[in-house]
Amino acid sequence: MKNSLFVLSIIALTGCQTVEPWERGILAKEEMQWQASTMEARFRQQMFNSKEASSGTSGAAGGGCGCN
Amino acid sequence: MGSNTLDKAKSPALAALLSSAVLLPAYQSAQADAPPESSEIGFRYGKYQEDAVAGGDTLSGEKSGRYDIDVAQFNLIVPVGDSWSVGLTGQWESMSGASPWFSVYGADGQQKVIMSGASIEDHRAEYGVEARYFHEEGNIGFNYVNSKEDDYHSDSIGADASLNSADGLRTYSLALSTSVDKITPTRGVAPTNTLKADKDIHSIWMGVSQIINDRSIFNLGLGYTQRQGYLTDPYKYRDNRPDNREELVLSGGYRHFFDDQNGALQADYRYFIDSWDVESHTLELAWVQNLNNDIQVTPFIRGYNQSQANFYSDVVVDTGGYYSDDHRLSSYSTVSYGLRLKKNFGPWRVSATAERYESAEGGWRYSQVPNKALVDFWGYSLGFTYNF
């Protein structure tokens, strides 16, 4: 799995095109962002973190809670 | 957006036409290399509602209700001067219901769950503040978060930084956090595993975001978290966990915009492994469809599976060493799916999401007998933001 990710990353990096700043209009659209909304993302992550043994995706872990 | 980036535009006239949003670097999101152009305030209400445990899975033979949580959220971000922004967050939760206490074997030889009874009543309040400094190559932020419940108190600080490559196609990010948590369980006259304990969480994360072409972008992230101290669930009857846990996360994300469909594909994957031998895979796919009148409709699906912790068992019979029958440490798979709607009204944005989460029996990869306490739930939320 890790090897696959590494290979995919190399392919993606080597396949990258030069995109000038004025060509990034689509990339700036809301649907191209990494999160739907900060508050909704926090709400969902808290649900998953409190019901699964795994946590974390992007960013540092921060503090805990007694969520059961 | 930094002036140096504008200078790279082919003509001053074109540069003048470009909004700062168009020039977002590879990390996008709320983190640009200039403060937001306007202030934004947002509120959101969320409801978390677990399904009852079936009568056939409890020792009493009676169906048992579980947990409900009401969540109110607040978010404010304000630009300060030319180079700073300040953010405030608040979250208030009200929790009630019952949760699995421990498991035994029933007369039929199957695992049966004993619930805590409808004894849980708790409230949580979380407040956060963030200051962020923007420069021409990226930004750096600092944050403090305080979370307080009747039985849990956490203070955490964090810092993060993002740096653009010279061509703005790639962004490197680094984040650090540390927290000091205090646990003081309360459950009336029922015993708990401790009366007072401490826990510390230290975490580091690094990532890179890369523009592939003018329609697609991807990111990779690597995170490490160490939890030290009292990691046992204070409310589980048979639970004794190691006082150290090290976690590693490898993640990847991809976004691609399709002109013909006027929509975007979102794909996110996470690989997780820890020192308790829990290993998991998470994959989430979403399709964002733009419609007329500034409306977006987004169906999404998330798959998750994990292996069990090395001290887990469905029913704890030997209380030597470490042990737990917590279903969250068992081997299982889940699927969740939902729908998100968004609509813009000038400076207002309204969004609503409904999501169903189901614990699957067995699994795609780990074919263990599922714990009877595995949970199905609904999550709903409705929110709005206003820019001014």
Side-chain angles (χ1 to χ4, degrees), chain B residues 3 16 23 56 59 88 104 125 133 153 169-170 181 196 210 215 223 253 258 261 296 322 347:
Chain B
S3 58
L23 297 176
L59 185 64
L88 297 174
V104 297
Y133 172 72
H153 189 165
L169 296 176
R170 190 175 304 165
D181 297 6
K196 186 177 179 184
Q210 171 75 44
R215 295 291 185 274
F258 294 84
Q261 288 75 25
Q296 278 187 344
Y322 300 119

Side-chain angles (χ1 to χ4, degrees), chain B residues 29-345:
Chain B
S29 195
Q31 301 178 340
D33 46 11
E37 291 179 340
S38 62
S39 299
E40 182 180 279
I41 190 168
F43 295 94
R44 195 167 192 92
Y45 167 75
K47 177 81 176 176
Y48 168 86
Q49 196 163 36
E50 295 181 349
D51 289 8
V53 182
D57 293 334
T58 64
L59 185 64
S60 65
E62 294 180 5
K63 188 167 120 179
S64 173
R66 293 183 75 158
Y67 222 38
D68 282 4
I69 308 176
D70 293 287
V71 181
Q73 294 172 296
F74 164 78
N75 192 58
L76 173 69
I77 184 163
V78 178
V80 179
D82 295 333
S83 305
W84 288 87
S85 72
V86 173
L88 297 174
T89 59
Q91 181 160 320
W92 300 269
E93 299 168 18
S94 177
M95 302 154 257
S96 63
S99 68
W101 188 17
F102 65 102
S103 293
V104 297
Y105 289 118
D108 59 1
Q110 300 293 309
Q111 178 204 7
K112 302 293 178 187
V113 180
I114 290 99
M115 302 294 286
S116 64
S119 57
I120 303 170
E121 285 282 349
D122 199 1
H123 301 276
R124 186 169 88 96
E126 179 189 291
Y127 303 97
V129 60
E130 177 189 86
R132 188 165 296 279
Y133 172 72
F134 298 83
H135 55 89
E136 292 186 346
E137 285 80 34
N139 66 72
I140 181 167
F142 305 92
N143 67 76
Y144 166 74
V145 178
N146 171 271
S147 172
K148 196 167 193 317
E149 296 164 67
D150 295 344
D151 58 354
Y152 201 100
H153 189 165
S154 171
D155 289 291
S156 74
I157 55 171
D160 63 86
S162 290
L163 186 67
N164 294 330
S165 60
D167 57 11
L169 296 176
R170 190 175 304 165
T171 301
Y172 303 95
S173 300
L174 176 69
L176 302 163
S177 73
T178 188
S179 92
V180 177
D181 297 6
K182 296 192 180 305
I183 306 159
T184 50
T186 55
R187 191 167 57 186
V189 295
T192 57
N193 291 326
T194 183
L195 295 176
K196 186 177 179 184
D198 297 327
K199 178 167 76 177
D200 297 333
I201 306 171
H202 310 293
S203 185
I204 181 170
W205 177 85
M206 61 191 82
V208 59
S209 183
Q210 171 75 44
I211 291 173
I212 302 171
N213 55 43
D214 61 0
R215 295 291 185 274
S216 48
I217 185 169
F218 86 99
N219 71 26
L220 285 175
L222 179 66
Y224 169 81
T225 298
Q226 182 182 39
R227 300 172 197 272
Q228 287 180 308
Y230 195 78
L231 305 182
T232 294
D233 187 322
Y235 297 111
K236 300 287 184 196
Y237 181 51
R238 293 166 175 160
D239 204 273
N240 182 35
R241 309 181 189 190
D243 58 7
N244 185 60
R245 187 180 187 189
E246 295 181 74
E247 306 168 357
L248 194 66
V249 166
L250 184 63
S251 64
Y254 178 72
R255 303 285 182 270
H256 187 94
F257 189 84
F258 294 84
D259 288 4
D260 290 345
Q261 288 75 25
N262 191 20
L265 173 69
Q266 302 179 336
D268 294 286
Y269 170 77
R270 177 187 68 181
Y271 174 74
F272 172 97
I273 190 166
D274 73 6
S275 57
W276 293 357
D277 287 348
V278 175
E279 182 184 28
S280 76
H281 303 271
T282 310
L283 177 64
E284 181 159 350
L285 299 172
W287 175 261
V288 185
Q289 181 62 57
N290 291 304
L291 302 173
N292 294 333
N293 303 315
D294 260 345
I295 295 175
Q296 278 187 344
V297 179
T298 306
F300 58 89
I301 185 166
R302 176 184 185 272
Y304 172 82
N305 81 342
Q306 70 173 49
S307 63
Q308 68 182 41
N310 52 26
F311 51 87
Y312 165 83
S313 55
D314 291 338
V315 175
V316 172
V317 291
D318 178 6
T319 54
Y322 300 119
Y323 50 88
S324 175
D325 60 7
D326 188 340
H327 60 281
R328 295 168 295 188
L329 297 176
S330 69
S331 169
Y332 65 94
S333 300
T334 76
V335 174
S336 60
Y337 47 90
L339 193 67
R340 180 179 298 119
L341 299 173
K342 284 188 184 179
K343 163 91 176 136
N344 292 332
F345 302 91

Side-chain angles (χ1 to χ4, degrees), chain A residues 17 27 30-31 33 52 54, chain B residues 28-29 212 280 290 342:
Chain A
Q17 301 171 3
L27 299 175
E30 187 184 348
E31 56 268 36
Q33 310 303 304
E52 297 170 349
S54 314
Chain B
Q28 317 174 95
S29 195
I212 302 171
S280 76
N290 291 304
K342 284 188 184 179

